[in-house]
Amino acid sequence: MCLSSGMGGMRCELKVEVKRKEVVAAVLPLQEHWLPLSNLDLLLPALDVGVFFCYKKPPTSMTMPMPMPMACTMMMMTTKAAGSHHHEFASMVNVLKKSLAQALVPYYLFAGELVPNSAGEPELLCNNRGVDFIEAYADVDLCHIDLHNPDATVEGKLVPDKHSGVFSVQATELRCGGIVVGCKFDHRIADAYSTNMFLVAWSEIARLKSTSLIPCLRRSLLNPTRPLRYDPSIDDMYVPLSKLPPPPPAEDVDDDDDLMISRIYYVTAKDIEWLQSQASSSPNQAAEKNKQARVL
């Protein structure tokens, strides 16, 4: 349902209907084993991070490009000729689930779950528990989703809440025929860089390509010490909450000093390629490229 806003535009009350839930496990069996968390992950609180990708309706009977913007990749999904959006959506979801089951073979930790060990500390149980995969429908067009305020319009609606496991996925069909793929992962298992490696591998498998990045899962390099020991210098890096000064009274806070600015940036693949070339060049080469970029 679309409601008129005070600025003469349109905003939509986003309602999402869950159609189906299932668990997607790795296509090959896995010998059950445990992986410890690093000391830093044991210190930090549990944190789930969400990411979502929006795609327009693909042309019928053509391959559907699904870019993973963090890595500038293209996930190509073949859709068959169909007389309805739903048939196309079902075909795309089928590719997503099959390629996900294959990607979970080398990236099997995303199919595990966090459970307490004998010392009460969380550890990753690699048991191929699988990934919760949700199929949903939202009666809204892609162009009417308020992406400027994703916490209100996307979180918990197009990006799923993670109730179990360490990774969850939701594919949402839109009224216009577009699709939103939302993912939620446990930050204790993988940071943004590592999760992006997994998303790139998933997209490559969906395009029937071999994976370009193979993960290193030698967690023994980060085994926590027992009993837990740390260098005294760590004390200088963190401050206990009890030592922080109390916040000022609400009546003393100026509203103008407590503003949060939200911005959306459009970054093309060419821009990211240029940034990557700058980061991988020597200082002299980077300076010369920067000079050429300014001339152009």
Side-chain angles (χ1 to χ4, degrees):
M1 180 176 69
C2 291
L3 306 174
S4 60
S5 65
M7 299 182 67
M10 299 292 291
R11 65 181 178 87
C12 287
E13 182 183 339
L14 185 58
K15 294 183 179 180
V16 178
E17 179 184 0
V18 174
K19 295 291 188 179
R20 184 180 181 186
K21 294 182 181 179
E22 65 177 290
V23 176
V24 177
V27 69
L28 296 179
L30 174 70
Q31 182 176 359
E32 185 174 301
H33 62 283
W34 296 75
L35 289 178
L37 302 186
S38 68
N39 284 343
L40 182 59
D41 290 320
L42 291 174
L43 288 173
L44 298 176
L47 175 65
D48 290 338
V49 180
V51 60
F52 64 97
F53 309 97
C54 303
Y55 311 106
K56 297 179 180 178
K57 178 183 181 297
T60 305
S61 303
M62 296 180 64
T63 56
M64 175 184 177
M66 294 194 72
M68 289 292 188
M70 292 175 65
C72 300
T73 61
M74 298 294 288
M75 181 183 291
M76 306 300 293
M77 296 187 174
T78 303
T79 61
K80 300 178 181 179
S84 67
H85 294 168
H86 182 71
H87 185 85
E88 295 174 358
F89 175 75
S91 299
M92 291 183 284
V93 168
N94 186 51
V95 174
L96 277 173
K97 290 189 289 190
K98 286 186 176 180
S99 56
L100 175 60
Q102 293 175 309
L104 289 174
V105 175
Y107 290 85
Y108 57 82
L109 47 73
F110 284 95
E113 56 184 331
L114 282 171
V115 295
N117 58 19
S118 57
E121 298 173 341
E123 284 194 2
L124 178 62
L125 174 60
C126 299
N127 57 357
N128 200 20
R129 178 254 172 214
V131 171
D132 289 340
F133 196 105
I134 301 172
E135 299 175 39
Y137 175 79
D139 190 21
V140 65
D141 295 332
L142 178 58
C143 61
H144 289 153
I145 298 177
D146 182 11
L147 298 179
H148 194 264
N149 187 19
D151 287 340
T153 60
V154 176
E155 181 66 25
K157 297 179 181 179
L158 301 178
V159 174
D161 294 325
K162 185 177 66 61
H163 299 290
S164 55
V166 297
F167 186 73
S168 59
V169 180
Q170 178 175 317
T172 305
E173 178 187 10
L174 305 179
R175 182 173 58 198
C176 60
I179 181 175
V180 176
V181 180
C183 306
K184 183 71 69 72
F185 66 93
D186 194 315
H187 194 273
R188 294 173 295 176
I189 298 305
D191 58 10
Y193 180 85
S194 302
T195 302
N196 184 58
M197 287 179 58
F198 170 66
L199 294 176
V200 171
W202 183 9
S203 68
E204 289 172 334
I205 294 173
R207 290 182 292 158
L208 303 180
K209 290 187 175 184
S210 57
T211 53
S212 57
L213 297 173
I214 302 299
C216 175
L217 302 178
R218 294 177 58 191
R219 288 293 180 103
S220 58
L221 298 174
L222 301 174
N223 272 349
T225 57
R226 292 190 174 89
L228 184 64
R229 297 190 304 272
Y230 64 92
D231 191 275
S233 63
I234 296 294
D235 291 331
D236 299 329
M237 300 174 60
Y238 300 92
V239 178
L241 290 176
S242 58
K243 291 187 178 182
L244 293 177
E251 57 270 15
D252 295 341
V253 177
D254 189 345
D255 292 339
D256 293 337
D257 296 334
D258 193 31
L259 294 178
M260 180 178 293
I261 299 175
S262 177
R263 291 193 178 103
I264 294 179
Y265 295 94
Y266 177 74
V267 183
T268 65
K270 183 178 180 181
D271 293 330
I272 296 180
E273 290 173 357
W274 180 82
L275 289 172
Q276 290 175 334
S277 69
Q278 295 292 299
S280 60
S281 302
S282 65
N284 292 335
Q285 290 175 327
E288 181 62 26
K289 289 181 180 179
N290 192 35
K291 180 180 178 182
Q292 295 174 357
R294 288 198 299 267
V295 172
L296 295 176

